[in-house]
Amino acid sequence: MSNDKVITAEQLTKRFGHFTAVDHISFDVHKGEIFGFLGANGAGKTTAMRMLCGLSMPTSGKATVAGFDVYKETEKIKRNIGYMSQKFSLYDDLTVKENMKFYGGIYGMSDKFIKEKTGYILNHLHLESEGDKLVKSLPLGWKQKLAFSVAIFHEPGIVFLDEPTGGVDPVTRREFWNMIYQASDNGITIFVTTHYMDEAEYCNRVSIMVDGRIDALDTPAQLKKTYEAKSMDEVFLKLARKATRIEI
Amino acid sequence: MKHNSPFSIFNFQFWAFVKKEFFHIWRDKRTMFILLGMPVVQIVIFGFALTNEVKNSQIAVLDNAKDIASASFIAELDASRYFEIEKNLYSYNEIEAEFKKGKIKLAVVIPQHFGEDLQHFNKAQVQLVADASDPNTANQLTNYATAVIMDYQKRITNDRKLPYTIHTEIRNLYNPQLKGAYNFVPGVMAMVLLLVCTMMTAITIVKEKEMGTMEIMLVSPMKPQMVVIAKAIPYLVLSAVNISSILLLSRFVLEVPINGSLLLLVFESILFTLVSLSLGLLISSGAESQQTAMFISLIGMFLPTIMLSGFMFPIENMPLPLRVISNIVPAKWYYAIVKSVMIKGIGLHAIWKETLILTGMMLFFLTLAIKKFKIRLA
């Protein structure tokens, strides 16, 4: 079990002046796992995620992503991860195909690879006829699915999803999670933050951050047992109530 | 995965980015036409409409003498290309009424016995009445009218011997016809380049921040410096198009000659473009919204360019503090360079100082912009 860890964090800490945004967090994420990263606003989720993506230098502690060190090997990390945020990552004024060509391009993929992959994705999502349409003309749900496809376009080992389903209707969210399961079945590790507690139930394991620390980390079933709660919602509220930090 | 040198501008990643940037500009047709049409419109407006030269100004004449001399004098006025006699007045009171209508800004009053006075006393008076509610126009009109009168006097005294005469001969070097275009073409170039490069680069980068796509770029293996430079390239190309259209229009439509080396002029223009791009990058690293970026570009860059570059108002006449401040306005140096190269036709040896200052500014702004950009990531 220990040799399939794709993300490891040990006492990982980030301070901004006197403010400790992330306070000595430790966890491992395994290959192909869907790892839910929960926490109220301001709990430090985004900062932790930025450190793992190589966007922000940790103050102290250790962490590796895809086997690379977050201090020294951020370039290699960036080549091996995908990222999708709540804000849309596709360009509205580019067509679907142009978007894919662009993202493939910045990851240094070859023209041939990009062409094949684009064909495969459009076929898979049943969007063949939309390939040459501008992204702005597509419905929100499709954009979201495309954005996820683009995030794993370069076939990364790990994909970070920062509240990927914000502002989407429940049906689309369900479909979106089906895509996540598929990616996970293909061996891609999913690191996802979310505000929706029903989504937390879909994760293999869930960590809950409170005031910069990880207060709980287990499977959803085990967490509900430990906190004697009927749903993840209850678990989350029990933990989040302990927070002393003001929302930032 | 193919590993490219992150600093090579020939790698695939970089050009994928530049291509995408061109798509953005191309898809936004309205902005594109504004960017490419603006210099044309400005040149045409400045060249044909906004001119401070006196050309066929409409004037009124009150001829109280009505003799041969006055008639030939009025004919002289009318024949000059500066004036057109719009109205013959019959009483002094009419002058003000005409001024109030607004069309006529100058009235020439010829006294009674104009011809007789000239013949018998060798001396006659003409009164110029100008509408000085606009002092500059009034000043110019009276100057031109005085010049026409002097010409007339010279002609009628030609056959007579005067005891002493001082004859002034004026030569206007570099711009013999005193054309306004010689002044504003360099100014318009500075303005257009600054607007396109500084404002558009700042806006387009801040837009990516707003949309959240900048984050995606930063998580990608692309170097942040490359992201920023790739965004600036299309605007460099756009500026090259604008420089060409301005130069072509000014050369062939406004007939402003390019006396110096065209190559040097293009080189200096590209240098100024790079300064403007760096400024745009700097603004974008500080601004969080497109409105802020636009506001800073307009107030912080565009206004000083118009007022402190010497294009609209001569810097020599400004109070000391403004003269000092004008030194940090990049357009001031570029404006001086373009005037020297284009109009005076001098070479690099005379403008190396200005060139050096612009180069220094570019390096300073660019370093600062990239540094600020990196700090944001830490």
Side-chain angles (χ1 to χ4, degrees):
Chain A
M1 200 64 179
S2 64
N3 54 354
D4 73 343
K5 286 178 191 163
V6 287
I7 302 174
T8 65
E10 222 177 288
Q11 304 293 318
L12 194 65
T13 303
K14 176 81 185 186
R15 277 189 211 97
F16 298 104
H18 292 297
F19 178 73
T20 309
V22 175
D23 194 359
H24 298 89
I25 60 170
S26 302
F27 62 91
D28 296 322
V29 182
H30 304 282
K31 186 168 165 37
E33 188 175 26
I34 302 176
F35 188 82
F37 204 58
L38 274 54
N41 285 335
K45 284 178 312 207
T46 307
T47 312
M49 197 151 154
R50 286 175 65 86
M51 284 192 281
L52 295 175
C53 291
L55 289 181
S56 171
M57 275 289 166
T59 313
S60 66
K62 276 191 255 174
T64 62
V65 174
F68 300 111
D69 185 66
V70 293
Y71 289 94
K72 290 179 228 135
E73 296 171 305
T74 53
E75 284 310 308
K76 285 180 183 153
I77 289 176
K78 286 179 179 178
R79 285 182 186 277
N80 286 288
I81 60 169
Y83 178 86
M84 176 186 166
S85 77
Q86 179 183 21
K87 292 188 189 170
F88 281 108
S89 34
L90 296 180
Y91 291 98
D92 263 354
D93 54 348
L94 262 56
T95 67
V96 174
K97 282 184 182 168
E98 282 163 357
N99 265 293
M100 295 196 176
K101 198 159 186 215
F102 168 66
Y103 283 106
I106 62 171
Y107 279 93
M109 317 311 288
S110 70
D111 269 344
K112 188 165 166 278
F113 177 91
I114 291 172
K115 217 170 195 164
E116 284 171 9
K117 186 84 183 181
T118 305
Y120 172 78
I121 291 173
L122 292 180
N123 183 24
H124 193 72
L125 295 177
H126 307 295
L127 293 176
E128 291 99 329
S129 52
E130 318 293 323
D132 292 315
K133 285 193 184 157
L134 293 184
V135 167
K136 72 173 138 210
S137 69
L138 301 179
L140 190 67
W142 291 6
K143 283 196 221 175
Q144 199 128 28
K145 286 184 213 165
L146 280 168
F148 181 69
S149 306
V150 163
I152 55 170
F153 193 91
H154 58 291
E155 302 178 348
I158 307 161
V159 61
F160 289 86
L161 306 174
D162 191 4
E163 292 176 22
T165 53
V168 186
D169 64 85
V171 178
T172 313
R173 262 169 58 202
R174 186 66 237 194
E175 287 173 2
F176 189 78
W177 272 89
N178 282 336
M179 288 183 77
I180 294 182
Y181 276 126
Q182 263 177 32
S184 158
D185 286 344
N186 291 334
I188 297 180
T189 308
I190 316 280
F191 187 100
V192 56
T193 72
T194 181
H195 274 309
Y196 298 104
M197 286 309 135
D198 57 325
E199 290 187 353
E201 310 262 7
Y202 303 151
C203 298
N204 297 131
R205 279 194 305 150
V206 167
S207 78
I208 299 179
M209 271 188 97
V210 179
D211 288 350
R213 294 173 322 265
I214 292 186
D215 275 12
L217 200 176
D218 219 322
T219 60
Q222 196 60 45
L223 280 175
K224 281 185 275 188
K225 217 183 211 172
T226 314
Y227 289 90
E228 293 167 345
K230 282 196 279 307
S231 65
M232 277 306 293
D233 212 18
E234 247 185 275
V235 175
F236 184 76
L237 284 173
K238 278 187 175 171
L239 283 161
R241 256 189 218 117
K242 297 192 296 182
T244 52
R245 201 186 266 174
I246 314 155
E247 191 172 301
I248 37 170
Chain B
M1 204 176 287
K2 202 170 77 186
H3 273 252
N4 287 309
S5 156
F7 286 102
S8 160
I9 58 159
F10 297 106
N11 72 30
F12 186 59
Q13 284 169 299
F14 185 78
W15 291 113
F17 203 117
V18 173
K19 201 169 153 195
K20 178 216 83 171
E21 229 31 62
F22 273 111
F23 278 136
H24 286 323
I25 298 174
W26 185 250
R27 295 275 152 80
D28 190 357
K29 292 271 193 286
R30 206 175 350 155
T31 310
M32 192 179 69
F33 281 123
I34 292 174
L35 291 182
L36 292 175
M38 182 176 57
V40 177
V41 171
Q42 283 198 334
I43 286 284
V44 171
I45 288 177
F46 274 106
F48 295 105
L50 297 180
T51 169
N52 41 20
E53 297 165 43
V54 173
K55 221 186 274 171
N56 292 330
S57 284
Q58 292 174 336
I59 59 168
V61 173
L62 173 57
D63 184 4
N64 291 322
K66 297 216 187 328
D67 50 27
I68 300 167
S70 76
S72 86
F73 172 65
I74 292 168
E76 176 96 17
L77 272 177
D78 206 12
S80 88
R81 64 191 174 89
Y82 309 120
F83 300 115
E84 209 171 277
I85 292 170
E86 170 70 16
K87 210 160 174 124
N88 288 303
L89 306 175
Y90 300 99
S91 83
Y92 203 85
N93 299 332
E94 280 178 79
I95 295 176
E96 242 191 289
E98 284 303 321
F99 282 177
K100 279 181 181 156
K101 281 188 210 158
K103 206 168 169 188
I104 286 165
K105 305 267 185 214
L106 181 79
V108 180
V109 183
I110 301 168
Q112 274 184 326
H113 320 300
F114 178 71
E116 286 170 37
D117 286 354
L118 264 182
Q119 250 174 359
H120 300 305
F121 307 110
N122 290 339
K123 202 167 148 192
Q125 280 185 322
V126 170
Q127 188 183 28
L128 298 175
V129 185
D131 173 2
S133 54
D134 175 358
N136 280 334
T137 311
N139 210 349
Q140 259 181 335
L141 286 175
T142 50
N143 282 343
Y144 276 88
T146 312
V148 174
I149 295 168
M150 296 305 278
D151 276 352
Y152 174 73
Q153 178 182 317
K154 220 168 82 189
R155 201 159 54 78
I156 60 171
T157 53
N158 231 4
D159 39 342
R160 277 184 233 175
K161 288 252 174 346
L162 288 174
Y164 306 104
T165 48
I166 296 175
H167 191 71
T168 29
E169 195 193 285
I170 299 165
R171 267 189 76 204
N172 292 305
L173 277 184
Y174 311 121
N175 186 359
Q177 294 157 284
L178 293 178
K179 273 194 188 173
Y182 286 56
N183 191 41
F184 72 73
V185 166
V188 167
M189 281 177 78
M191 243 157 61
V192 167
L193 292 180
L194 198 87
L195 205 65
V196 171
C197 298
T198 308
M199 193 160 95
M200 293 314 292
T201 327
I203 288 178
T204 175
I205 293 179
V206 173
K207 192 174 170 192
E208 297 238 8
K209 279 202 224 169
E210 275 186 350
M211 281 174 44
T213 42
M214 187 53 99
E215 230 177 4
I216 309 290
M217 296 309 124
L218 299 177
V219 200
S220 84
M222 251 189 110
K223 289 266 177 198
Q225 301 93 298
M226 285 293 127
V227 173
V228 166
I229 292 170
K231 286 209 79 84
I233 294 242
Y235 294 97
L236 186 65
V237 174
L238 217 57
S239 299
V241 175
N242 281 338
I243 294 171
S244 319
S245 62
I246 294 176
L247 287 181
L248 284 172
L249 276 175
S250 63
R251 175 70 190 83
F252 294 108
V253 178
L254 302 178
E255 294 172 335
V256 179
I258 298 171
N259 290 322
S261 144
L262 182 63
L263 202 69
L264 182 62
L265 190 61
V266 169
F267 164 78
E268 297 285 354
S269 300
I270 290 173
L271 179 63
F272 181 67
T273 307
L274 292 176
V275 175
S276 311
L277 286 173
S278 314
L279 269 170
L281 298 182
L282 187 62
I283 291 172
S284 74
S285 66
E288 287 303 327
S289 73
Q290 292 184 61
Q291 280 95 329
T292 318
M294 193 153 99
F295 192 73
I296 298 176
S297 309
L298 282 179
I299 305 296
M301 300 294 135
F302 204 52
L303 226 53
T305 297
I306 292 179
M307 303 208 288
L308 295 177
S309 66
F311 159 44
M312 293 270 184
F313 314 106
I315 294 172
E316 304 87 78
N317 297 350
M318 292 177 188
L320 186 67
L322 280 184
R323 264 182 287 158
V324 172
I325 294 172
S326 77
N327 286 329
I328 59 165
V329 177
K332 173 194 161 167
W333 305 104
Y334 176 65
Y335 179 68
I337 289 172
V338 176
K339 271 180 102 171
S340 301
V341 176
M342 201 167 159
I343 313 298
K344 292 191 196 163
I346 47 186
L348 189 61
H349 62 91
I351 51 163
W352 64 268
K353 200 180 87 182
E354 286 86 349
T355 309
L356 214 61
I357 290 172
L358 281 185
T359 313
M361 281 180 166
M362 178 194 76
L363 292 176
F364 176 73
F365 293 137
L366 197 63
T367 321
L368 206 65
I370 289 180
K371 215 169 178 176
K372 272 190 88 174
F373 203 76
K374 273 191 181 160
I375 288 170
R376 285 179 45 85
L377 301 179

